[in-house]
Amino acid sequence: MERPIALITPTHRADRERFALLCESIDRRLTGYERHYVIVNDDDMELFAEFAGPRRVILPCSRFLPRWLRLVPPFLMRNGRRVWWSFRSRPVHGWHIQQMLKIAAVLQLPEQRFCIVDSDNVIIRRFDIGAYAGGARSPLYIARGAISADAPLHAKWIANGDRLLGLPPSSFPADDHIGNLIVWDKDAVRAMTRAIEDATGVDWFLALCRTRAFSEYLLYGQFVRHSPRLMAAHEIVPQSLAVAYWDEAPLDRAGLASLLAAASTSKIALCVESFSRTPVQAIREAAGLALPAGASPFAPRLAGGAAA
């Protein structure tokens, strides 16, 4: 039985140009989804309003955040980063908020299955996401044994995930579930948040605010892997849909061309992390979405469904 698929993209004003490119590539090349939900800071709603359309919905993050968590004014940013504060935890930065927004959005939005597409991505090939993710079993991305015990970030995320979920300590090397165009099922997310609350004794959102060092994708993968019922509802996918660049040094046109040339035809997206400061125009050209001279990347076609 086919399950409708919705896309979720949390983003912010610093990534607006990259987000515009993502939208253009989705509208031109991605099919098989019902809605594209875009979640932005409340004070960014006007800035992103032009991207709304028949299948693209712009939503304020306050819709998904607990009332006790508040965004500080821009003039109180830390090192250029937005900060949320409360009396229940230490201040939380935007990157952690985006991870929690994905979980909250899956719980609150009406669809059963979701593909999370961060704004660092661009779709490079025509692809039916419904055929990939809408079947009876939901895809579960796994890179087996990819996390070593001395991994500076991931090993801690694994340990914190075990604690949050009430699981026994993982053995290393551990499986990795972090990727791009990751699919989640609502039933699994709902059960995952209940497990966090049972293990920590507090609301799942507060537990994550207090933990800080975690990965939303690892949490989901770790939880599903330990549930025979949920594993039966998932299909293991050993290959990511995206070719990704995670380094800090910016890529030039030659570097992007080399990255794509080495990618298999199963890769339907290119993800170049924004912290690399790779020029968006170079990514646009590499993805085959170069604009005519004088054209704007924020053309009206970004707002709608089908495109050229």
Side-chain angles (χ1 to χ4, degrees):
M1 181 173 61
E2 185 174 304
R3 274 91 168 156
I5 305 298
L7 311 178
I8 295 177
T9 302
T11 190
H12 56 100
R13 64 176 57 212
D15 279 352
R16 185 175 182 274
E17 188 179 5
R18 293 174 182 273
F19 171 75
L21 179 57
L22 169 65
C23 290
E24 183 176 0
S25 70
I26 287 174
D27 292 344
R28 290 191 180 191
R29 294 167 173 168
L30 200 66
T31 59
Y33 67 95
E34 299 291 318
R35 293 283 183 275
H36 182 192
Y37 296 105
V38 181
I39 306 172
V40 300
N41 294 340
D42 290 41
D43 53 7
D44 285 348
M45 283 292 291
E46 184 176 352
L47 187 65
F48 284 86
E50 69 176 284
F51 297 103
R55 289 201 294 169
R56 183 163 293 120
V57 183
I58 313 300
L59 299 171
C61 68
S62 61
R63 168 173 170 167
F64 304 99
L65 298 178
R67 293 184 178 181
W68 47 262
L69 198 60
R70 290 287 185 268
L71 178 64
V72 303
F75 64 86
L76 292 177
M77 291 192 300
R78 287 185 175 182
N79 300 319
R81 297 188 296 172
R82 302 303 297 269
V83 178
W84 280 255
W85 70 276
S86 78
F87 292 113
R88 302 186 182 189
S89 72
R90 293 160 52 196
V92 184
H93 295 105
W95 183 57
H96 297 100
I97 290 293
Q98 286 202 2
Q99 294 182 78
M100 291 180 276
L101 283 172
K102 296 170 187 176
I103 298 171
V106 170
L107 292 174
Q108 295 184 35
L109 293 171
E111 287 80 6
Q112 176 65 26
R113 202 164 287 173
F114 299 85
C115 179
I116 302 168
V117 191
D118 290 335
S119 51
D120 303 279
N121 291 276
V122 57
I123 308 300
I124 58 175
R125 290 187 176 92
R126 294 188 180 277
F127 189 71
D128 185 338
I129 192 68
Y132 171 79
R137 300 176 71 191
S138 183
L140 177 65
Y141 170 64
I142 298 178
R144 294 192 181 278
I147 301 177
S148 63
D150 59 354
L153 296 176
H154 294 64
K156 186 173 184 179
W157 295 343
I158 287 284
N160 283 342
D162 291 337
R163 179 183 59 79
L164 285 165
L165 295 166
L167 299 174
S170 294
S171 58
F172 290 92
D175 294 338
D176 195 357
H177 302 277
I178 300 173
N180 299 283
L181 283 78
I182 295 295
V183 177
W184 282 356
D185 186 83
K186 186 191 295 288
D187 288 344
V189 172
R190 187 181 289 126
M192 179 187 77
T193 53
R194 286 199 300 264
I196 293 173
E197 292 175 347
D198 289 344
T200 64
V202 298
D203 173 80
W204 70 266
F205 215 113
L206 179 57
L208 294 185
C209 284
R210 289 177 173 174
T211 302
R212 302 164 69 87
F214 69 92
S215 161
E216 76 279 35
Y217 296 134
L218 286 177
L219 278 173
Y220 184 93
Q222 286 172 269
F223 181 70
V224 169
R225 289 295 305 279
H226 281 81
S227 168
R229 177 182 69 86
L230 291 175
M231 274 303 298
H234 286 74
E235 180 179 2
I236 291 177
V237 175
Q239 297 292 330
S240 171
L241 287 177
V243 54
Y245 180 74
W246 299 91
D247 295 341
E248 294 186 4
L251 288 170
D252 57 15
R253 286 169 173 80
L256 286 164
S258 176
L259 187 67
L260 288 174
S264 70
T265 55
S266 65
K267 304 296 186 184
I268 62 96
L270 168 66
C271 176
V272 179
E273 292 297 323
S274 57
F275 55 71
S276 75
R277 301 188 183 278
T278 298
V280 175
Q281 180 59 25
I283 299 172
R284 173 181 290 280
E285 293 174 4
L289 293 169
L291 294 168
S296 169
F298 310 118
R301 67 166 175 268
L302 295 177

